[in-house]
Amino acid sequence: MRKLPLLLVYYLFVTPIGVLLRVTRDPMKRRVQRDADTYWTPAPVRE
Amino acid sequence: MSELVLGVSAYYHDSAAALVADGVPVAAAQEERFSRRRHDSAFPARAVAYCLAEAGATLDDVAAVAYYEDPALKFRRVLATFAAAAPRGFASFERTLPEWLSWKRDAPRQVRRELERLGLGRVPEVRVHRHHESHAASAFHPSPYESAAVLCVDGVGEWATTTLWHGRGSRLEPLSEIRFPHSLGLLYSAFTYFCGFKVDSGEYKLMGLAPYGTPRYERTIRERLIDVKDDGSFRLDMRYFEYLRGEVMTGGGFEELFGGPRRSPEGPLTEREFDLAASVQKVTEEVVLRLARTARERTGESRLCLAGGVALNCVANGRVIQEGVFDEVWIQPAAGDAGGALGAALLTAHEGGAPRSHLGTGRDGMSGSLLGPGYGDEEIAAFLEREGIPHERLGPERLAERVADVLAQEKIVGWFQGRMEFGPRALGARSILGDPRSPRMQSAMNLKIKFRESFRPFAPSVLEEDVKDYFDLPQESPYMLVVAPVAESRRLLDVDEGQASGLDLLRVQRSTIPAVTHVDHSARVQTVSERNNAPYHRLLSAFKAATGCSVLVNTSFNVRGEPIVNTPADAYTCFMRTDIDYLALGGFLLTKADQPQWREDGNWREEIPLD
Ligand SMILES: [Fe+2]
């Protein structure tokens, strides 16, 4: 039975982290920014 | 021996393998053609074995294996998505996390294990490339251009969903990108889902539906769902999309905007779906056009290379060409993720110093995309004898003449010649052909051969030298990835549409080649040259000699939901299951009327899943 550990991890770790991230820096950038000029980001530097 | 690199894409959809020798693609195929499971995502064991056999090599001869995306980076995106969706995404978390933890985050190790299991020699180093880098390489390296702007647009790989590159010589310089969850491919897929089609394969149907509708939802989409800047960059308003949770694409947000729940799969098509298709298609074209203009400005190049799933949107590609944003556009024929296998292999090869040796020949490096398995006449003869199949043996010239004759009598012909195409389109190696002048051909081929909805238009193949007589297309389109208007001179004036609306519009004859003319007078054109496909060029020339018409209807050799045929046996089965009248199998011609009764156990229609 793997459901119980997954449930615990999801609601005790993933959910609080996710909620915290959303209020602090919104990593998925869910809202549009009508006043921004562009949504392009520079390509990441390759190692 | 030349330096070989084996490319692999796997574990998402459309797994594929590709082999590159000194930087030149020599073999490539999708696993689905061997396993006969459409969009097969399993490790491409048989495609790998085929690629090696084609080159007469084993893994001992291969210098490196290239994998088409970075699974560790992708895993981090998957984790971030779990966090972003919480607490509403447990179902997807439970379903996908275990496999990510056990093997998916280290897919290259899994690739190594699977390759070892083939027993075809020692497995060399497995190198990982980024998803969009693989797309970009598949678009630029085989292109005929010394330098070009490169644009990749798809659903998502790791994080990037849209990338802009500058290709020069053997170098690809990344310029800018747009990241997940903001994705033009996923926007299109969301509408595909909402209109009741399958995500990752039904996008084509949505595009085919668009000309029947009016884009009355365009403003809603632009105001609520996607914010597009002048430079083509965009962001989606994620409050309206459900795909972060992983189970479905859309939900209540779409229902509110577009008047009720999504169409159920196989349910009736209504005006709403036509209009939704027209609207999202229009928005997509607008975004692609702006992206292309930005690509031109940022690179100063006059030529553009395209790849990524959105580059299969041939209507949008046609707009880019029609508007003259670039002097010329080249699109990778395997623009979807299967092409990532080839791109990854090319990256590794060119990083190792391989030249782009096709430059200066004026051609691209794809060999007409005929990179799949071929079957010689001796092999086909053995098959026909073994199965006791009645046939005539004809030389290439006589075959072309006979087939042209029966096509002119409105017969439908299965055309199986040479090596199989790499990429989703049939290009005259595994094709079903018909006479485009026949008003009944469109519905006959749809219903009696393909067993599918009749709204999808067929595509024309045209002799490259005659393309201007039939279509307004200022450049070649060897891979059938560009839609162009039918030339004015071929259109019928004063067409009476009467009371026709919706799908009935397709029955109205609008040109002298009605079977390939869509309701908006457009056609998805393939230009055929002798250097790319000599047998097919010979047939088109013979048809022109017999009828004066340089065009044929070309649709892929399969029935709905089934992968395109690979072997002579696959082709014979499809021939016998359908109302195809003749089958040209290499140098042999098979007549339906001469064939024995076809028997098989079970109902094959039930075994092929709906697409
Ligand atoms: Fe992709």
Side-chain angles (χ1 to χ4, degrees), chain B residues 219-230:
Chain B
R219 262 190 68 186
T220 311
I221 296 174
R222 292 285 291 273
E223 281 170 8
R224 310 293 284 276
L225 298 183
I226 184 169
D227 180 34
V228 187
K229 302 301 185 194
D230 290 340

Side-chain angles (χ1 to χ4, degrees), chain B residues 38 198 201-202 205 266 452-453 456 560-561 609-611:
Chain B
R38 197 153 197 227
K198 266 195 187 160
S201 62
K205 296 188 181 180
E266 302 294 306
R452 69 181 186 187
E453 309 93 320
R456 300 177 65 186
R560 179 186 177 188
L610 292 177
D611 57 356

Side-chain angles (χ1 to χ4, degrees), chain B residues 135-279:
Chain B
H135 277 316
S138 78
F140 177 64
H141 289 312
S143 78
Y145 313 139
E146 164 72 34
S147 68
V150 182
L151 187 60
C152 303
V153 189
D154 69 355
V156 62
E158 297 98 1
W159 279 100
T161 66
T162 304
T163 52
L164 174 57
W165 309 71
H166 194 167
R168 273 170 289 198
S170 301
R171 277 195 54 234
L172 262 173
E173 182 197 346
L175 300 179
S176 296
E177 64 179 37
I178 298 167
R179 294 186 196 174
F180 183 83
H182 309 291
S183 161
L184 199 55
L186 291 175
L187 174 74
Y188 210 88
S189 293
F191 278 89
T192 301
Y193 172 85
F194 192 70
C195 289
F197 301 115
K198 266 195 187 160
V199 171
D200 288 334
S201 62
E203 282 76 4
Y204 235 79
K205 296 188 181 180
L206 201 67
M207 193 181 73
L209 220 51
Y212 296 103
T214 45
R216 66 181 159 116
Y217 298 110
E218 187 195 0
R219 262 190 68 186
T220 311
I221 296 174
R222 292 285 291 273
E223 281 170 8
R224 310 293 284 276
L225 298 183
I226 184 169
D227 180 34
V228 187
K229 302 301 185 194
D230 290 340
D231 63 8
S233 66
F234 56 86
R235 198 176 270 183
L236 304 183
D237 189 333
M238 291 312 293
R239 289 174 297 183
Y240 291 99
F241 298 87
E242 301 292 329
Y243 55 79
L244 287 177
R245 285 164 57 202
E247 299 295 295
V248 295
M249 294 298 292
T250 63
F254 261 55
E255 293 180 7
E256 233 164 79
L257 288 183
F258 303 118
R262 69 187 279 250
R263 167 182 170 254
S264 64
E266 302 294 306
L269 282 165
T270 67
E271 205 161 315
R272 183 183 70 154
E273 283 76 38
F274 299 145
D275 294 346
L276 285 169
S279 306

Side-chain angles (χ1 to χ4, degrees), chain B residues 12-13 68-69 131-132 135 153-157 160 307-309 335-338:
Chain B
Y12 180 49
H13 61 107
Y68 85 123
E69 65 181 13
H131 189 102
H132 267 246
H135 277 316
V153 189
D154 69 355
V156 62
D337 284 352

